[in-house]
């Protein structure tokens, strides 16, 4: 498996082109599986279940149709995006297990940074309890599988501008907030998170 890390923000259309090409190559046996760590410039993406009413500020940032599962999400600087292009045929052809493993990867990586993060029944993503008792989302997942090859993946909030989430109803859930490592008072850097993800 190849591990890639891009330090400057990657335009969304370029990332999509890369994933489409690599997924085809993995399927054809001409390229290795890859995990890609990156950031995007500020933008919103719409998953296959996105509702127009959840895009509250359509002019704020560019909006892209993502082709992944899920609803609206935000990507931007200070957020670690992880795109995983792997062959599930080599891993039991089990999409539910794959999503569970992505969640576990996030939970264990954040635990290394002394953050207790958890799943929630009937809610996508990874959640933390803040000191005021509120539940907040710290990581999002959105995947797509074609011919048992995965793409898209997950995002973890490190130091993003949280006000940028105000332009959408993140993942269609307006009852709960969004948080980040910085918002929780955690001093971990992107490099610290990357080290634990690796």
């Amino acid at each position: 498996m190849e591990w890639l890390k891009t330090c400057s923000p990657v335009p969304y259309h370029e990332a999509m082109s890369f994933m489409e090409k690599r997924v085809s190559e993995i399927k054809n046996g001409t390229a290795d599986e890859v995990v890609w760590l990156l950031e995007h410039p500020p933008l919103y993406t719409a998953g296959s279940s996105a509702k127009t009413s959840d895009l509250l500020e359509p002019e704020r940032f560019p909006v892209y149709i993502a082709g992944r599962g899920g609803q609206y999400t935000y990507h931007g600087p200070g957020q670690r995006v992880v795109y995983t292009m792997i062959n599930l045929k080599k891993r039991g052809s089990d999409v539910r297990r794959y999503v569970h493993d992505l969640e576990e990867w996030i939970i264990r990586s954040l635990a290394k940074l002394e953050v207790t993060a958890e799943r929630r029944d009937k809610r996508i993503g990874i959640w933390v309890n803040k000191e005021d008792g509120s539940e907040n989302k710290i990581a999002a997942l959105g995947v797509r599988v074609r011919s048992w090859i995965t793409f898209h993946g997950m995002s973890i909030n490190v130091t993003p501008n949280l006000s940028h989430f105000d332009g959408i109803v993140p993942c269609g859930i307006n009852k709960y907030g969004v948080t980040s490592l910085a918002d929780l008072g955690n001093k971990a850097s992107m490099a610290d998170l990357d080290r634990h993800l690796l």
Side-chain angles (χ1 to χ4, degrees):
M1 179 169 304
E2 182 180 4
W3 288 79
L4 298 177
K5 181 176 175 180
T6 304
C7 294
S8 56
V10 178
Y12 194 74
H13 68 280
E14 290 183 14
M16 295 306 98
S17 295
F18 176 91
M19 285 196 285
E20 289 283 351
K21 182 173 183 288
R22 181 57 72 96
V23 165
S24 293
E25 291 170 343
I26 294 169
K27 179 184 175 186
N28 296 333
T30 58
D32 291 331
E33 299 170 309
V34 63
V35 175
W36 186 15
L37 281 64
L38 67 149
E39 294 174 77
H40 285 303
L43 57 91
Y44 297 128
T45 67
S48 57
S49 302
K51 300 175 185 174
T52 305
S53 59
D54 287 343
L55 181 59
L56 306 178
E57 298 179 30
E59 304 300 322
R60 187 168 188 178
F61 297 124
V63 180
Y64 295 91
I65 304 302
R68 55 159 173 79
Q71 302 186 43
Y72 281 105
T73 194
Y74 165 77
H75 293 311
Q79 181 188 70
R80 174 50 77 220
V81 174
V82 183
Y83 290 139
T84 52
M85 288 147 271
I86 64 172
N87 187 348
L88 287 187
K89 279 189 176 180
K90 296 180 178 179
R91 295 167 176 82
S93 302
D94 188 336
V95 176
R96 286 179 184 265
R97 172 65 185 271
Y98 168 66
V99 172
H100 182 274
D101 287 348
L102 288 181
E103 293 171 337
E104 191 66 21
W105 187 19
I106 296 169
I107 291 168
R108 292 184 186 189
S109 297
L110 291 176
K112 296 283 188 180
L113 298 172
E114 300 182 357
V115 173
T116 301
E118 303 168 321
R119 298 174 182 85
R120 292 288 186 268
D121 287 341
K122 300 181 181 178
R123 274 191 261 152
I124 298 297
I126 299 300
W127 300 79
V128 297
N129 293 319
K130 294 181 74 173
E131 289 183 1
D132 64 5
S134 64
E135 292 181 74
N136 289 259
K137 192 173 196 174
I138 194 166
L141 294 94
V143 302
R144 185 172 179 183
V145 180
R146 180 188 298 149
S147 301
W148 293 110
I149 312 298
T150 70
F151 52 128
H152 298 275
M154 60 195 202
S155 59
I156 304 169
N157 297 328
V158 181
T159 59
N161 183 336
L162 293 179
S163 72
H164 290 177
F165 286 90
D166 295 344
I168 57 171
V169 178
C171 300
I173 302 173
N174 57 16
K175 182 179 177 182
Y176 305 95
V178 177
T179 191
S180 66
L181 290 175
D183 184 53
L184 294 172
N186 190 295
K187 304 296 185 184
S189 66
M190 191 75 74
D192 294 327
L193 175 62
D194 290 348
R195 185 170 65 255
H196 296 304
L197 287 169
L198 289 165

